[in-house]
Amino acid sequence: MRFADLKGNDALKRVLPEMVDSGRVPHAIMFSEDDGGGAFALSVAFLQYLYCQNRRDGDSCGECPSCNRISKFIHLDVHPVFPASASKPSFNFLPEFRALATSDPYFREADLNAALKVDGKNTSITVADSKHLLEALSMTALEGGYRSVLIYLPEKMNAEAANKLLKLIEEPPARTQFLLITHNPEKVLPTIASRCQHIRVHSDGRRSQTADSGDAALFFELMDALVSKNLLSCLETGEKIAALPSRESVKAFCRYAAENIRHIFLRQQGLGRLLSEAEADGGCDTDVQARLDRYAASLAGTFPRKALAVLDKMLSLVDRNVNLKLAATDMVDRLYNLL
């Protein structure tokens, strides 16, 4: 994965190589993104540049042994960490992780859970992962350069795991690089977040409007019911949301809905034409754009902001293992009462 392979985030694609070239790379960088928004692909391009033996024109060569190993996630000095099951830490799932990351570096959290076969379970980064990292980083770099840790969803660290890593991130060994990718930076342990350089990654369009077809269908079904002020249809859609295969699937729906509601808000602010052009570049079809335009025209200007708060609460309830049917019913009822 080279910077040239990435779409969008042009400023970051200039700044990140400049950090490496100047020798001023922050020891810990936290990328925040919407789920599937491209931060993972950007992180891989950064690591490939960091390790590349033949950098040129602000990009990695993509051909040297280091680039080859980074692209296949088999570099001995790069340690990925990600949420897995409570009983088995992430390093036990490296083959599944590599297969997913090489086939789709724009994967979403739900894709990872499906690849690890932990869909429907609560996932976390455990203290076993922290211990494994501490052992790995206590040794010198096996290939003589940087040692890097790529943590996907640090907000999923349990308290014990986070506290074990805190000292390491505060005072890392020389030539040690931490990259963190979060969907909810406010949920990352504050003492860890405060040690990181924060960088926001904007969706490059590959996934922003291309969630699972089921998410899109449910979102538009719910919005049609809201716009027509049909409470019964809203509640029926709420039952379908609650019946999604797992809690992670429900969370993925909420994120997809939140993203589209933000687009509705921007349309209401008079940015619809520019936004539609960006959506077209990202593969969003004209029917979706037309429907979002219609919702923007039909809903009050106060609806998007308040609806986002309702979806945030829904995500919180899902994380707290509240009964999904009760949570979804509460969500659609609150959305209906915003009309």
Side-chain angles (χ1 to χ4, degrees):
M1 179 67 68
R2 302 174 66 238
F3 287 117
D5 299 326
L6 308 178
K7 182 180 178 182
N9 290 293
D10 292 338
L12 290 180
K13 291 189 293 186
R14 291 192 302 270
V15 169
L16 292 173
E18 288 172 0
M19 287 181 178
V20 177
D21 295 340
S22 66
R24 297 179 179 177
V25 182
H27 74 276
I29 301 174
M30 186 164 73
F31 297 106
S32 61
E33 64 159 4
D34 295 327
D35 196 1
F40 184 83
L42 186 67
S43 297
V44 175
F46 174 78
L47 287 174
Q48 194 162 302
Y49 189 77
L50 184 68
Y51 285 88
C52 181
Q53 299 163 13
N54 300 301
R55 301 173 193 149
R56 53 179 179 261
D57 301 324
D59 212 340
S60 57
C61 69
E63 300 170 351
C64 68
S66 291
C67 285
N68 184 50
R69 287 193 286 272
I70 294 286
S71 66
K72 295 178 180 177
F73 301 96
I74 57 174
H75 197 290
L76 295 175
D77 292 319
V78 177
H79 307 281
V81 180
F82 44 89
S85 72
S87 59
K88 292 178 67 177
S90 61
F91 56 80
N92 285 316
F93 294 91
L94 285 178
E96 294 87 350
F97 177 82
R98 290 186 183 114
L100 173 64
T102 52
S103 64
D104 181 11
Y106 291 84
F107 66 84
R108 295 180 295 124
E109 184 178 354
D111 300 325
L112 177 62
N113 292 337
L116 305 185
K117 296 182 172 58
V118 295
D119 208 18
K121 302 176 183 177
N122 285 325
T123 59
S124 64
I125 296 173
T126 68
V127 68
D129 284 303
S130 295
K131 290 179 178 178
H132 180 74
L133 276 181
L134 289 170
E135 292 173 3
L137 297 179
S138 67
M139 299 182 288
T140 57
L142 296 174
E143 299 195 24
Y146 272 89
R147 293 169 298 177
S148 300
V149 179
L150 179 58
I151 304 177
Y152 180 71
L153 303 186
E155 61 267 34
K156 291 270 191 169
M157 286 185 192
N158 63 34
E160 189 177 2
N163 286 322
K164 272 195 173 294
L165 280 181
L166 177 59
K167 184 68 173 177
L168 199 59
I169 295 178
E170 282 181 327
E171 300 176 9
R175 293 175 70 81
T176 300
Q177 181 67 50
F178 286 89
L179 299 179
L180 293 74
I181 299 171
T182 176
H183 300 158
N184 296 287
E186 70 281 358
K187 293 184 179 180
V188 178
L189 187 71
T191 46
I192 287 181
S194 66
R195 269 68 178 182
C196 299
Q197 173 71 51
H198 292 241
I199 295 178
R200 173 65 182 173
V201 178
H202 298 285
S203 173
D204 69 0
R206 299 196 188 193
R207 282 294 176 88
S208 62
Q209 294 289 338
T210 56
D212 291 342
S213 59
D215 290 343
L218 281 175
F219 171 74
F220 292 122
E221 182 179 321
L222 177 60
M223 292 303 298
D224 287 341
L226 288 169
V227 168
S228 62
K229 298 185 178 180
N230 188 329
L231 179 58
L232 179 59
S233 293
C234 289
L235 294 172
E236 289 174 347
T237 306
E239 290 184 357
K240 294 178 183 179
I241 295 168
L244 287 168
S246 68
R247 288 182 176 272
E248 293 301 329
S249 299
V250 175
K251 288 163 69 175
F253 165 80
C254 290
R255 295 188 188 105
Y256 178 76
E259 182 173 353
N260 279 281
I261 287 173
R262 291 187 188 98
H263 282 228
I264 291 169
F265 170 76
L266 291 174
R267 281 172 161 81
Q268 291 179 332
Q269 301 305 305
L271 300 175
R273 183 180 61 81
L274 296 176
L275 187 55
S276 295
E277 290 174 359
E279 288 167 346
D281 289 341
C284 179
D285 63 49
T286 55
D287 177 62
V288 169
Q289 295 177 38
R291 296 181 82 164
L292 294 177
D293 285 335
R294 181 167 61 86
Y295 299 148
S298 302
L299 294 166
T302 56
F303 179 86
R305 178 177 57 82
K306 293 180 179 179
L308 288 173
V310 172
L311 290 167
D312 283 343
K313 180 176 181 181
M314 177 67 177
L315 285 168
S316 175
L317 293 175
V318 175
D319 280 336
R320 289 159 50 192
N321 290 322
V322 172
N323 180 278
L324 288 179
K325 188 170 183 178
L326 291 176
T329 299
D330 177 71
M331 177 187 71
V332 298
D333 183 62
R334 287 176 182 272
L335 290 172
Y336 185 85
N337 286 325
L338 297 179
L339 299 174

